[in-house]
Amino acid sequence: MFYELLLGIGLGIVGGTITGLIPGIHVNLITILVLSYVSSLLSWFSVFTIGCFIISLSVTHTFLDVLPAIYLGMPDSATALGVFPGHRDLLKGWGYMAVKLTLIGSFFGLIFGVLLIPLLILVVKLSYPILKSLMVIILLSVFVFMVIKDRKKGWSIFVFILSGVLGWLVLNTYNLKYPLFPLLTGIFGVSTLLFSIRSTSTIPEQLISSEIKLKHKVVIKSLFAAVLAGFLTSMLPGIGSSQGVVIGKEFARNAGDHGFMVILGGVNTVNFVLSLVTLFVLSKARNGAVVAVQELIGQIGLNQLLAFIAVALIVGGVGVGLTLFLGRVFSGIISRVNYRGLVFSVVLFIIVLTPFVSGFKGLLILFTATVLGLIPAIVKCSRTHAMGCLMIPVMLWFLV
């Protein structure tokens, strides 16, 4: 049993590394395959081991998915907002530092989230009905704070509404399998890469040994924001990690780019771990991988919850080491590559990949989203407002 469990966790780490490093291959795709062949897998593994595989896969992914976002400008739904500050650090030679910042958020967010589980079990029961009824107000408040902070308020509102319309159309009209891939990659990935070509012809040598000068108050504030936002996203339907990052950013105002990267790393990991708490308390799964665990095991008990949390902590430690190692590899290679050639190669790869992930309609979405993503860069307003592509559909979902 021990060796079987060890093998399941190891395979999960390998799978999470693959899904984290290759945009377009999502954790949900692997879990769907697992559920499709679960009858065959049960000949080799127990249900609990398969559940641990899914936990390992998902936690590893939340650590490694930042690498293609920072180094290649190719985000998934959880790292979309990190592309611009992460890519900006890359162009200063601080790409590895940006990776370290997300790891601070992911690992310590995981630890703090686990430590708060006894409290959160009580809070989830009491606060779920209240928060669900107030979700539209919460998201509207976040939007208002975002606009107030921006000097280009008119453009901010325009970008928010325009992206919201695009997001609603994509999520409700096109019936794509993975609609967020072309939508978020266009708005936050391709547009960032294309705009950066104007001022950058080469990527500077990345500073591996540089120390992160980060104030303790910024770290604590950012981690608190990540845990709080991760708690909200794990409990409420329709609210994903991307919206959680926006909410967390408002909880930790004035934390700067460094604090933002900590939040980015923390929200995704905290969201997954606390989704297990939501499954335990409310019998409701708010995460694709947790849905798979629910389908395998049903309602999880306290012993299973504690076992899954232990697996998450172990895998989190491995995830830190893997991300640091691969971050060094990326940093060593990236500065030797012709930047313009890299950008065009990545954009071409995204264009070729999009029909396979989202169908040929995805190419239209990718092009439209890229044009929309260029607007904030041109008019000099915050690109965060383009998160209206997810926030407005979610608000409409709660209203309807």
Side-chain angles (χ1 to χ4, degrees):
M1 177 65 180
F2 173 76
Y3 293 108
E4 175 191 307
L5 185 60
L6 201 62
L7 178 60
I9 293 172
L11 290 173
I13 291 171
V14 172
T17 302
I18 294 170
T19 61
L21 294 179
I22 304 177
I25 302 179
H26 199 270
V27 168
N28 291 347
L29 176 62
I30 306 298
T31 56
I32 289 170
L33 290 173
V34 168
L35 291 177
S36 300
Y37 295 96
V38 69
S39 57
S40 299
L41 291 172
L42 286 175
S43 302
W44 299 88
F45 302 101
S46 67
V47 171
F48 178 73
T49 298
I50 297 174
C52 289
F53 165 81
I54 294 173
I55 302 297
S56 304
L57 170 79
S58 303
V59 173
T60 304
H61 178 95
T62 66
F63 279 80
L64 288 162
D65 62 351
V66 72
L67 293 176
I70 291 174
Y71 289 98
L72 301 177
M74 297 177 67
D76 61 12
S77 59
T79 57
L81 283 176
V83 172
F84 188 60
H87 200 69
R88 184 162 55 206
D89 285 337
L90 178 73
L91 298 182
K92 293 178 181 177
W94 300 344
Y96 191 66
M97 181 193 70
V99 172
K100 286 184 177 180
L101 290 169
T102 64
L103 286 178
I104 290 173
S106 292
F107 188 67
F108 288 102
L110 172 63
I111 291 174
F112 289 162
V114 169
L115 292 175
L116 290 172
I117 281 177
L119 174 63
L120 291 175
I121 288 175
L122 295 174
V123 173
V124 167
K125 273 187 178 179
L126 297 173
S127 62
Y128 174 69
I130 300 171
L131 286 173
K132 187 175 180 181
S133 64
L134 295 176
M135 203 60 232
V136 173
I137 296 174
I138 292 172
L139 290 177
L140 278 175
S141 300
V142 170
F143 166 62
V144 170
F145 280 122
M146 287 163 55
V147 171
I148 290 174
K149 285 175 23 180
D150 205 309
R151 288 178 294 179
K152 302 289 184 72
K153 293 178 175 55
W155 279 110
S156 301
I157 296 171
F158 175 75
V159 169
F160 184 80
I161 293 175
L162 193 63
S163 62
V165 171
L166 177 62
W168 186 88
L169 288 172
V170 169
L171 295 173
N172 295 279
T173 304
Y174 289 95
N175 194 29
L176 303 181
K177 194 170 185 180
Y178 294 106
L180 293 182
F181 178 76
L183 178 66
L184 297 178
T185 301
I187 292 177
F188 297 101
V190 177
S191 61
T192 298
L193 291 171
L194 294 179
F195 193 80
S196 67
I197 290 179
R198 298 178 57 192
S199 56
T200 308
S201 58
T202 59
I203 296 177
E205 185 176 349
Q206 301 299 300
L207 304 176
I208 300 295
S209 60
S210 60
E211 295 293 328
I212 302 173
K213 296 180 180 179
L214 196 61
K215 295 180 180 178
H216 294 301
K217 286 184 178 179
V218 173
V219 174
I220 294 172
K221 183 190 290 187
S222 301
L223 286 173
F224 173 78
V227 172
L228 190 55
F231 165 72
L232 288 174
T233 58
S234 67
M235 192 167 56
L236 295 167
I239 305 294
S241 295
S242 297
Q243 295 97 321
V245 173
V246 175
I247 294 171
K249 185 172 180 286
E250 297 307 318
F251 285 146
R253 300 175 70 187
N254 303 319
D257 280 356
H258 289 179
F260 180 80
M261 296 304 290
V262 172
I263 294 170
L264 178 77
V267 168
N268 201 18
T269 305
V270 171
N271 167 271
F272 176 76
V273 173
L274 296 188
S275 291
L276 294 172
V277 176
T278 305
L279 178 60
F280 172 70
V281 177
L282 301 175
S283 299
K284 296 179 184 293
R286 304 300 189 205
N287 177 288
V290 177
V291 169
V293 172
Q294 185 181 34
E295 290 192 22
L296 280 170
I297 300 175
Q299 175 62 34
I300 64 173
L302 180 60
N303 289 338
Q304 289 168 319
L305 174 65
L306 294 176
F308 287 150
I309 294 300
V311 170
L313 287 170
I314 293 169
V315 173
V318 176
V320 171
L322 266 175
T323 309
L324 288 174
F325 170 74
L326 292 172
R328 283 176 175 270
V329 173
F330 273 68
S331 294
I333 294 173
I334 201 76
S335 59
R336 303 172 190 171
V337 178
N338 178 275
Y339 182 67
R340 292 180 185 273
L342 174 66
V343 167
F344 287 121
S345 297
V346 170
V347 171
L348 180 62
F349 176 69
I350 292 171
I351 292 172
V352 172
L353 182 63
T354 297
F356 291 97
V357 176
S358 304
F360 285 98
K361 291 179 182 177
L363 290 173
L364 175 62
I365 296 169
L366 179 69
F367 175 77
T368 307
T370 299
V371 173
L372 175 59
L374 287 170
I375 295 175
I378 294 170
V379 303
K380 307 297 182 185
C381 75
S382 175
R383 200 182 299 256
T384 310
H385 301 300
M387 279 308 299
C389 67
L390 295 181
M391 291 174 68
I392 287 180
V394 168
M395 285 189 279
L396 292 174
W397 187 88
F398 276 101
L399 288 172
V400 174

